[in-house]
Amino acid sequence: MDAEIDLRSITGLLQRQVKLILTTAAIILAVSLCIIYTLTPRYSATALLMVDTTSKDLLARERGNNNSGADNARVESEVGILRSDQVLIDVIRDHSLIADDEFGRGTGWKDRLLALLHLSRPPSTADETMSAAVDSLRSAVSISRNGLTYLISIGVTSRDPQKAAALANATGEAYIRRQIAAKVAATVAARDTIDGRVAALNAVMIENERRFDVYFTRMEAADKPELSRLREDLEKARTEQLRQSQRLAALTTLAASGDMAVLVAELGTPALLQLHKQRESLAQKVAGFAENAPARTRLVNDLAGLDAMLRDNSAAEIGGLKKRVADLDDHARSLRQQLRRNALQSDLPPESLAELYGMQQSAEIVQAQYQNLLAKLRELDVQSDLQMPDSRIVSAALVPTIPVFPDTSLSLGLTLACSFLVAIGTAVLREYFVGGFTSENQVEAVLKVPLTAVLPQQDLSDRKTVKAGEE
């Protein structure tokens, strides 16, 4: 029975307050629709980036095995780097976002409030402007790892769909550029460290050679003719090697300058001199013809062929000289080793042999270190130009067509539901707290006494009219 009474009272309430409910719901719905359709739509674009944890050393023969635990930490570290200020600063600079009306300074709520009040804020420094742009861009960028995979999503939300896609892709590209730059910087730093050590070892090797020279000079004074002969041969080889090296350097400079006449004169080989003579003779013939003469065209082609032959032959001569310098260096090194072996096998005093043996061991150790570091230095020189990124964009962000904010369908549904809830709540308030007693149950509930009778509402105007007629 109570349930029937409650249902009847609720139905009666809705019937009595139907105008208030509909009016309130319509007002709320209209205001909400105005707000929804005046909001600026925002679009979100997402680029997908993959972190490859395998080694990218192009010069390595084998690649190391991956460790799942280390890989997980590596990917999380890359997510942190993607969120760093430096990556965002690169994006801001690449796209001039400081002057952008969405991400630049002056787009925050404080700035809009000051503009509404016609107040001006104090001028900001370059660092403050950049910091404000970074904060604005960071609020629009979302970086997240896709579960435990090697994929990282880079999302950017903006009022402009094209800008959202461009900034999402730019964030990934800026991160990859910084990754390559960091690897190159690390390689260059290692190369510079090794280069300094190579220079130090080279100075030690020169000092060792000087000590050997002093030692063998002392041995010559001790009347060791076999050592003196080897020493003379070594000095001759060194002198010749130095002379040929200087000549090679001069010829290389001439070849780079393109002065073929001087280069041929310095080389002085009969074949080159003959080719150069033919070339000069042909050049004089070419000069004697008119610019558009058919014969001149053929002579110009012949002249170009002679120039090519001169360059090729000169390069061959310089290459032969390089081999000659290398052979002289090998010969000097062989004589040096033979001189030291003969000294160790000679009948020198034990003190002299011990000194020579110590110098020999020291020189061999230093030379081995020098060769190893020199090879590593050359490898690092090549690596600095062959660095590959550890990450790549596997799916570039596309221009979105549907805004992520506001969600019109969801907003309308929630607005409709909320408007009727508020309207019904308003009707309940008016029914029980504003409009007096409206039902028997309400009277008994408020007065705490049983209700004995209910009188219908009387129209007093009709009653006064009847009474006047009787009189």
Side-chain angles (χ1 to χ4, degrees):
M1 184 66 181
D2 292 341
E4 294 178 358
I5 294 174
D6 291 340
L7 182 60
R8 187 182 303 114
S9 63
I10 292 173
T11 305
L13 183 151
L14 295 177
Q15 289 176 349
R16 288 188 296 271
Q17 304 295 337
V18 63
K19 292 183 179 180
L20 177 63
I21 292 173
L22 293 177
T23 302
T24 304
I27 293 173
I28 295 175
L29 187 60
V31 173
S32 300
L33 287 175
C34 292
I35 295 175
I36 291 173
Y37 283 102
T38 55
L39 290 175
T40 302
R42 303 187 68 85
Y43 299 84
S44 180
T46 302
L48 197 60
L49 184 141
M50 180 176 181
V51 179
D52 188 355
T53 58
T54 58
S55 175
K56 299 298 182 301
D57 187 358
L58 300 180
L59 302 180
R61 297 180 180 178
E62 296 181 359
R63 297 192 176 185
N65 297 325
N66 294 342
N67 185 295
S68 58
D71 287 353
N72 185 62
R74 169 73 180 281
V75 177
E76 292 295 336
S77 300
E78 298 300 328
V79 172
I81 295 174
L82 263 168
R83 293 172 178 166
S84 65
D85 290 347
Q86 291 301 322
V87 174
L88 298 180
I89 288 174
D90 289 345
V91 176
I92 291 172
R93 289 173 176 169
D94 292 342
H95 290 262
S96 303
L97 295 183
I98 289 181
D100 187 75
D101 58 350
E102 182 177 1
F103 298 103
R105 188 171 178 82
T107 59
W109 66 270
K110 293 182 180 179
D111 301 283
R112 292 194 293 269
L113 179 61
L114 291 174
L116 183 64
L117 298 176
H118 300 285
L119 298 176
S120 61
R121 63 181 305 158
S124 57
T125 63
D127 291 340
E128 292 174 346
T129 303
M130 179 60 73
S131 178
V134 169
D135 292 339
S136 298
L137 182 59
R138 181 183 287 109
S139 64
V141 175
S142 63
I143 309 294
S144 62
R145 181 183 179 186
N146 294 1
L148 296 179
T149 66
Y150 294 91
L151 299 175
I152 300 176
S153 296
I154 305 172
V156 175
T157 303
S158 172
R159 298 194 298 258
D160 185 354
Q162 294 182 350
K163 184 189 296 183
L167 292 181
N169 294 327
T171 303
E173 292 168 359
Y175 157 74
I176 291 174
R177 286 199 307 269
R178 278 202 162 269
Q179 191 176 78
I180 297 175
K183 296 177 73 173
V184 171
T187 304
V188 171
R191 184 196 63 187
D192 293 342
T193 301
I194 293 179
D195 189 40
R197 182 57 181 165
V198 166
L201 289 175
N202 186 53
V204 173
M205 291 173 62
I206 294 174
E207 178 61 22
N208 287 339
E209 291 300 322
R210 189 189 65 79
R211 291 174 60 193
F212 276 116
D213 291 340
V214 172
Y215 178 85
F216 287 116
T217 300
R218 193 168 67 243
M219 290 301 99
E220 291 177 4
D223 192 16
K224 297 295 181 181
E226 67 280 4
L227 299 181
S228 299
R229 180 181 56 80
L230 287 174
R231 176 71 186 282
E232 291 175 359
D233 292 342
L234 178 59
E235 288 299 326
K236 291 179 181 178
R238 285 177 174 175
T239 302
E240 180 64 16
Q241 193 267 347
L242 178 61
R243 187 179 70 84
Q244 295 295 342
S245 296
Q246 293 174 346
R247 184 166 181 261
L248 176 61
L251 292 174
T252 303
T253 303
L254 285 174
S257 67
D259 193 347
M260 194 59 65
V262 179
L263 179 61
V264 170
E266 287 293 329
L267 289 171
T269 61
L272 282 174
L273 291 173
Q274 182 64 27
L275 280 175
H276 185 65
K277 184 177 179 180
Q278 294 177 7
R279 195 260 179 204
E280 292 298 322
S281 176
L282 191 58
Q284 292 178 359
K285 292 181 180 180
V286 170
F289 285 93
E291 184 70 24
N292 298 325
R296 186 180 186 279
T297 303
R298 179 177 56 82
L299 292 177
V300 168
N301 293 334
D302 293 342
L303 185 61
L306 285 176
D307 287 337
M309 292 177 64
L310 280 172
R311 287 193 298 269
D312 293 342
N313 290 352
S314 299
E317 291 293 334
I318 293 175
L321 185 58
K322 287 181 181 179
K323 186 177 183 306
R324 171 66 176 164
V325 171
D327 292 341
L328 287 173
D329 187 61
D330 293 339
H331 181 58
R333 187 181 300 108
S334 177
L335 288 175
R336 192 182 301 114
Q337 295 296 331
Q338 184 179 356
L339 178 61
R340 295 172 186 176
R341 285 195 301 269
N342 290 354
L344 288 172
Q345 295 172 3
S346 63
D347 54 348
L348 293 175
E351 296 82 2
S352 299
L353 287 175
E355 181 183 0
L356 178 60
Y357 182 76
M359 290 191 299
Q360 177 74 8
Q361 292 299 314
S362 177
E364 289 178 356
I365 292 173
V366 171
Q367 187 174 10
Q369 292 178 352
Y370 178 82
Q371 293 295 336
N372 291 335
L373 290 179
L374 189 62
K376 186 63 177 177
L377 182 64
R378 299 293 178 262
E379 181 179 344
L380 290 175
D381 282 334
V382 177
Q383 281 185 355
S384 63
D385 297 328
L386 296 177
Q387 291 297 333
M388 298 290 292
D390 294 329
S391 305
R392 65 181 186 275
I393 297 177
V394 295
S395 178
L398 301 178
V399 178
T401 57
I402 301 175
V404 295
F405 175 85
D407 189 340
T408 306
S409 300
L410 179 61
S411 300
L412 287 177
L414 292 176
T415 299
L416 186 62
C418 292
S419 64
F420 276 100
L421 288 176
V422 172
I424 292 173
T426 304
V428 172
L429 290 175
R430 186 174 184 274
E431 179 80 12
Y432 288 99
F433 297 99
V434 179
F437 296 116
T438 58
S439 67
E440 300 90 339
N441 294 334
Q442 185 181 6
V443 172
E444 292 180 348
V446 173
L447 299 179
K448 307 297 183 184
V449 294
L451 181 66
T452 58
V454 177
L455 297 178
Q457 184 177 3
Q458 297 293 324
D459 190 349
L460 296 180
S461 59
D462 295 341
R463 186 175 181 181
K464 289 180 181 180
T465 302
V466 173
K467 185 177 180 180
E470 290 178 352
E471 293 179 352

